[in-house]
Amino acid sequence: MGTRRRAATFTRAGALLAALLLVGCTSGQAGPDEPLPGVSDPTPVVSEPAEPTPSDTKATEDPGTDGTPEPGATATETATGPPFAADTEPDTAEPTGEGETFLSVTDIRVAEHDRYDRVVFDLDGTGSGRPGWRVEYVDEATDDGSGHTVQVGGDAILRVSLSGTANPMDSGVEEFPGDRIEPDTESVDEIVYRYWFEGYTTAFLGIDEGKRPFRVFLLENPTRVVLDVQH
């Protein structure tokens, strides 16, 4: 009898121990939305967005663009989207290339994009060089040579002076025949083209709501000077 009671006691104790172990294992398993017991919630990892590179950012002039990459942006952060490398300071570049270059502006195209308006100056002609430019805000629009005031709509005036350009008789192509362009865009209110004069081609942009940051760069094949004005 004593042996049977001891065996039964051990059997009940073993069953109780197994039940306790089973409960402990069950309570230690987390559901799909629950953390493991005794483990604190992990700190979320936030990664900084990488700055776009020339391969990440592509020019989007209009539906007919060739997709040539534009320079990666590295400066001013906008409310949404990647950085936009732009400010209100003058932007200059010297004409470059071997030999003489004779270019004329053949067309001016304007389009509104996400966060900026784009103005494209198409150039064509002879020679292997590249055009230069000086783009800056001015208090008044005046013609080269005569100094006569040019009326430009808008709250600020952005003067575009392209260098390395020539008389159409020398470039061999017809110069853009337009005068005033009034695009339906957010930042650019009006463009007044003033043609070629002594090595420079000038245009004035009327900017809505004062001075806005801008950037200028060159695209090639075909040759284009691109001006983006931030919204």
Side-chain angles (χ1 to χ4, degrees):
M1 288 294 293
T3 302
R4 283 196 197 128
R5 280 197 296 271
R6 284 195 295 272
T9 300
F10 290 149
T11 300
R12 286 194 296 272
L16 179 60
L17 178 60
L20 291 174
L21 289 173
L22 179 61
V23 171
C25 292
T26 303
S27 64
Q29 292 177 346
D33 300 320
E34 299 174 359
L36 289 173
V39 179
S40 59
D41 292 340
T43 303
V45 178
V46 179
S47 59
E48 294 291 336
E51 293 179 352
T53 63
S55 60
D56 297 327
T57 308
K58 293 185 178 180
T60 53
E61 299 171 18
D62 51 32
T65 181
D66 59 9
T68 306
E70 66 184 50
T74 58
T76 308
E77 186 76 27
T78 56
T80 60
F84 188 104
D87 55 37
T88 59
E89 296 301 312
D91 192 310
T92 62
E94 293 296 325
T96 60
E98 296 292 335
E100 294 182 327
T101 299
F102 300 103
L103 297 171
S104 290
V105 173
T106 59
D107 196 9
I108 299 176
R109 295 175 288 130
V110 191
E112 181 175 323
H113 297 272
D114 183 22
R115 299 175 293 112
Y116 62 90
D117 293 346
R118 171 161 290 179
V119 181
V120 180
F121 296 87
D122 292 329
L123 296 103
D124 197 6
T126 60
S128 58
R130 301 173 179 176
W133 60 80
R134 181 175 182 86
V135 181
E136 61 184 335
Y137 282 102
V138 294
D139 296 330
E140 184 181 24
T142 57
D143 271 332
D144 292 332
S146 69
H148 292 161
T149 300
V150 179
Q151 297 300 319
V152 183
D155 301 307
I157 301 173
L158 194 57
R159 184 179 191 271
V160 179
S161 180
L162 303 178
S163 52
T165 58
N167 187 303
M169 294 180 60
D170 296 322
S171 66
V173 297
E174 183 179 352
E175 186 176 12
F176 176 63
D179 183 8
R180 293 180 181 269
I181 303 172
E182 297 181 354
D184 184 17
T185 51
E186 181 173 333
S187 298
V188 179
D189 189 61
E190 184 178 33
I191 302 173
V192 182
Y193 184 65
R194 301 310 292 167
Y195 305 97
W196 174 87
F197 180 77
E198 294 186 352
Y200 296 89
T201 300
T202 304
F204 296 99
L205 275 62
I207 307 301
D208 195 28
E209 296 184 0
K211 297 179 180 181
R212 297 175 183 259
F214 67 90
R215 63 181 174 185
V216 189
F217 55 91
L218 178 71
L219 294 176
E220 298 183 278
N221 299 318
T223 302
R224 292 151 288 165
V225 173
V226 182
L227 168 59
D228 291 340
V229 182
Q230 197 175 81
H231 289 169

